[in-house]
Amino acid sequence: MKLKEKVAIVTGGTSGIGEASAILFAAEGAKVVVAGRNQENGRAVVQHIKDQGGEAVFVQADMLNTDDIDKLLNTTIEAYGKIDILFNNAGISVAKPLEEMTYEEFDDVMDTNLKAPFQMCKQAMPYLMKTKGTILNTSSIAGLSTNSNSYAYSASKSALISLTKVLARDYAAKGVRVNAICPGITETPILNTVNGEQMSYLEAIIPMQRVGQPIEIAKPALFLVSDDASYITGSTLVVDGGITLV
Ligand SMILES: NC(=O)c1ccc[n+]([C@@H]2O[C@H](COP(=O)([O-])OP(=O)(O)OC[C@H]3O[C@@H](n4cnc5c(N)ncnc54)[C@H](OP(=O)(O)O)[C@@H]3O)[C@@H](O)[C@H]2O)c1
């Protein structure tokens, strides 16, 4: 088991990539704190982990609410006494033409995808320094190149890569590794606004000719948070079926 005795927080653990990662991390021995707003989904993920013989708790937390971020970290320490792995994975996407995109929508995307991970990193860092732990941030291929109409999303995901690198540099000597993962187009509810025709187009342009599955992001995420990646910090792992080559 790659994460035996480790304590992992997975934000956005209620769905998609986070759900697959929470289940995989638990199967590898981690005690997982599954965070998100959707209580029904969160409880179902925890039950799934327990049914597999793993250990997990759900903390209902809105990443836009500072009190909820405090609650998430406090509950983790109360339940398990330490933090080894922080997976900042919660995220939202709003893609609208410039003239339709509101300032509120822009702020919501930036606050969820960038400010909340910053707050989580800042508040978890004292605990991570104690355990020589690790942070993984979910960026996106949209943070490396562009998607049309993806004003806030691309900006937030690019900035998250920068945040990852600065943290990696500043905390390497203190024993904390910080990396980012950039999923390509992955079959999760975040793609609900993509219609069948758009999906066929996307599948045709991806060199591997298909979208990714959440488990195909969770497995490289496991690598980055495990000791197998003990000499990797400040890196950005692209997991995209080759679409950034096009
Ligand atoms: N799927 C893709 O094609 C793709 C590609 C590149 C990057 N990504 C990134 O991968 C990450 C996971 O997305 P996904 O594809 O797995 O989509 P998803 O299934 O929609 O999951 C998004 C997760 O984020 C959580 N979340 C969103 N806003 C939140 C908030 N205010 N507070 C707390 N949790 C919040 C959701 O939880 P609740 O609803 O329970 O709050 C949910 O668990 C995101 O950062 C996304 O940008 C996805």
Side-chain angles (χ1 to χ4, degrees):
M1 287 205 198
K2 291 187 185 298
L3 303 181
K4 203 165 175 353
E5 309 298 331
K6 303 286 187 192
V7 173
I9 298 174
V10 180
T11 73
T14 50
S15 176
I17 292 166
E19 175 179 355
S21 301
I23 292 168
L24 182 63
F25 291 4
E28 289 292 334
K31 295 168 185 167
V32 180
V33 180
V34 176
R37 295 164 300 183
N38 188 314
Q39 197 162 12
E40 197 183 328
N41 287 358
R43 289 192 171 150
V45 174
V46 166
Q47 194 55 52
H48 184 114
I49 288 171
K50 288 184 172 166
D51 290 346
Q52 286 185 162
E55 192 167 341
V57 289
F58 171 62
V59 179
Q60 189 172 34
D62 183 343
M63 288 294 119
L64 294 173
N65 182 326
T66 308
D67 290 341
D68 281 8
I69 288 179
D70 292 344
K71 180 179 79 175
L72 173 55
L73 292 160
N74 291 338
T75 308
T76 304
I77 296 303
E78 279 161 24
Y80 297 128
K82 63 170 185 163
I83 305 169
D84 299 284
I85 295 162
L86 171 59
F87 187 14
N88 286 312
N89 167 75
I92 54 169
S93 172
V94 176
K96 284 189 176 178
L98 185 60
E99 57 276 15
E100 288 175 25
M101 182 97 180
T102 67
Y103 295 135
E104 288 74 18
E105 286 167 333
F106 188 90
D107 285 346
D108 275 356
V109 174
M110 295 303 283
D111 287 353
T112 308
N113 296 0
L114 181 63
K115 189 175 171 195
F118 173 72
Q119 291 176 326
M120 289 292 295
C121 291
K122 182 173 161 70
Q123 290 185 225
M125 195 55 89
Y127 300 105
L128 291 165
M129 284 194 292
K130 277 190 202 157
T131 56
K132 309 286 184 208
T134 188
I135 296 170
L136 180 60
N137 294 320
T138 304
S139 178
S140 168
I141 53 168
L144 296 172
S145 60
T146 57
N147 283 341
S148 191
N149 292 332
S150 171
Y151 297 101
Y153 188 71
S154 283
S156 71
K157 294 298 189 179
S158 290
L160 188 57
I161 292 172
S162 291
L163 175 66
T164 299
K165 290 181 180 176
V166 178
L167 285 166
R169 179 179 178 152
D170 285 352
Y171 286 89
K174 293 169 180 133
V176 180
R177 297 186 301 106
V178 190
N179 291 294
I181 191 163
C182 289
I185 299 156
T186 311
E187 194 174 338
T188 73
I190 212 170
L191 295 186
N192 281 350
T193 54
V194 177
N195 66 36
E197 195 182 328
Q198 290 167 324
M199 188 59 82
S200 303
Y201 168 75
L202 288 171
E203 283 172 345
I205 61 166
I206 297 168
M208 288 181 73
Q209 304 264 287
R210 65 175 180 84
V211 300
Q213 294 302 312
I215 189 66
E216 293 178 291
I217 311 301
K219 286 180 179 175
L222 168 65
F223 164 69
L224 286 170
V225 302
S226 77
D227 288 343
D228 286 346
S230 56
Y231 199 54
I232 300 179
T233 198
S235 78
T236 300
L237 182 59
V238 178
V239 188
D240 71 345
I243 196 168
T244 42
L245 303 171
V246 178

